[in-house]
Structure formats: C-alpha cells, structure tokens
Amino acid sequence: GKSLVYALPALESALSDANSHALWLFPLKALEQDQAKKLAADAEALGLDASRTVAIYDGDTKPRLRTKIRNNPPHVVVSTPDMLHLGLLPHHMSWERFFRGLSLVVVDELHTYRGIFGSHVAQVLRRLDRVCAFHGSRPRFVCASATVANPGELARLVTGRAPTEVFA
C-alpha cells in the first residue's frame, strides 16, 4: 500500500506532462523488478504505454537499452543509489532531458539507509540535488518505509531536506 503514495503522483504526471520524470530508488534490484512490474501494469490500465512509462536502469540493463533510456527517458526510471552514483550523476550532461524534467525522487525502504551505506546515499542524494539545480529542477523527495521508528529524522539526514511526515 505505501507504494501508492508515490505511484499515483508519478502516473498522474505521466498522463499530464510528457516532459515530467521521476526517479525511484530501491536498495535491492529484486525490489526494483517488483515495483517496475506493478507500475507497468498500472500504466497499461490507464492506457499508457508501459515501455514509455517505466524502465529499470541498473547494472543488469544492457548497453543498448541504457542508451535508449538515457536518450529518450521514460516517465519513471527505477534504479539503485549505487547506479545513480555510478551511472547517472557522472554523466548528467547526457541525461539533461531527464534531470531537467525530474519532479519526483522516491527513496523506498528508508530504514535501510543507515550507517556507512546511509552516509553514502545521503551524499549521493545531495549530489543529485545539485545536479537537478544545475539543470533547473527541484524534485520532491518521497521517502517510504514500513518499519522505521523515526521517519522524519532519518528522511532529513538522508535527503538533507526538512520533511513533512505522513503516516498511512
């Protein structure tokens, strides 16, 4: 159920603005696969072309598909923080269209971003914020977790932004 909090705004943007993009980050590729399949099914139910709505960009994505995603980004790119760090941010000029239209960043499974990994992800997200500003966007961050005891504090530490807490 918590994925509806970010899936609905992403689908609404896909329906209303062809230049709108979202980045969904998951700590594990298995979670990426599951969420991308669900979003693709929802997109098709709304009459959207699933291949134009969602794509996974990670270490398993074939080079030809990576080029296609980068040159003609879908509404939602599903990835991991590590791939954001290694595959998107260093090449942000090649991803200009995506970053210019980036309106939503989802950080799912927020509770996993603690310790050294959490510090790494926090720096990557601050870098993402700077790259977005460079390209003229300021996306909303949605952090989701079903198990974190201190969601507002952790969201602030990871994103560097003051959060608004919503409990569903």
Side-chain angles (χ1 to χ4, degrees):
K2 68 178 167 75
S3 61
L4 285 175
V5 170
Y6 52 83
L8 292 176
L11 289 169
E12 180 183 27
S13 291
L15 286 166
S16 64
D17 183 356
N19 297 315
S20 176
H21 300 288
L23 175 63
W24 291 12
L25 299 173
F26 297 92
L28 302 170
K29 289 192 276 183
L31 294 171
E32 288 177 337
Q33 297 290 330
D34 182 53
Q35 290 299 316
K37 285 178 189 172
K38 288 179 185 176
L39 184 65
D42 291 342
E44 287 178 353
L46 292 170
L48 292 166
D49 177 359
S51 67
R52 283 288 312 125
T53 303
V54 61
I56 294 174
Y57 192 90
D58 64 19
D60 294 336
T61 305
K62 303 287 185 222
R64 177 180 278 172
L65 184 54
R66 286 184 188 195
T67 301
K68 180 181 176 186
I69 293 168
R70 183 178 56 247
N71 293 340
N72 194 15
H75 292 287
V76 178
V77 172
V78 179
S79 195
T80 63
D82 289 332
M83 195 61 176
L84 173 62
H85 170 67
L86 295 170
L88 279 80
L89 293 175
H91 313 286
H92 68 91
M93 293 304 290
S94 299
W95 286 85
E96 179 180 6
R97 182 174 170 194
F98 176 75
F99 286 118
R100 190 178 15 171
L102 189 59
S103 60
L104 176 67
V105 175
V106 172
V107 182
D108 198 19
E109 303 297 335
L110 179 66
H111 59 277
T112 64
Y113 303 110
R114 296 177 179 264
I116 293 172
F117 182 55
S119 296
H120 167 72
V121 171
Q123 294 307 312
V124 170
L125 293 179
R126 283 161 178 76
R127 189 167 151 220
L128 171 62
D129 234 356
R130 290 190 304 273
V131 165
C132 288
F134 177 84
H135 291 289
S137 67
R138 178 149 169 88
R140 287 177 295 147
F141 279 77
V142 173
C143 299
S145 175
T147 61
V148 69
N150 58 338
E153 178 185 3
L154 188 55
R156 182 184 55 75
L157 290 171
V158 171
T159 66
R161 294 188 183 181
T164 300
E165 292 183 52
V166 177
F167 298 95

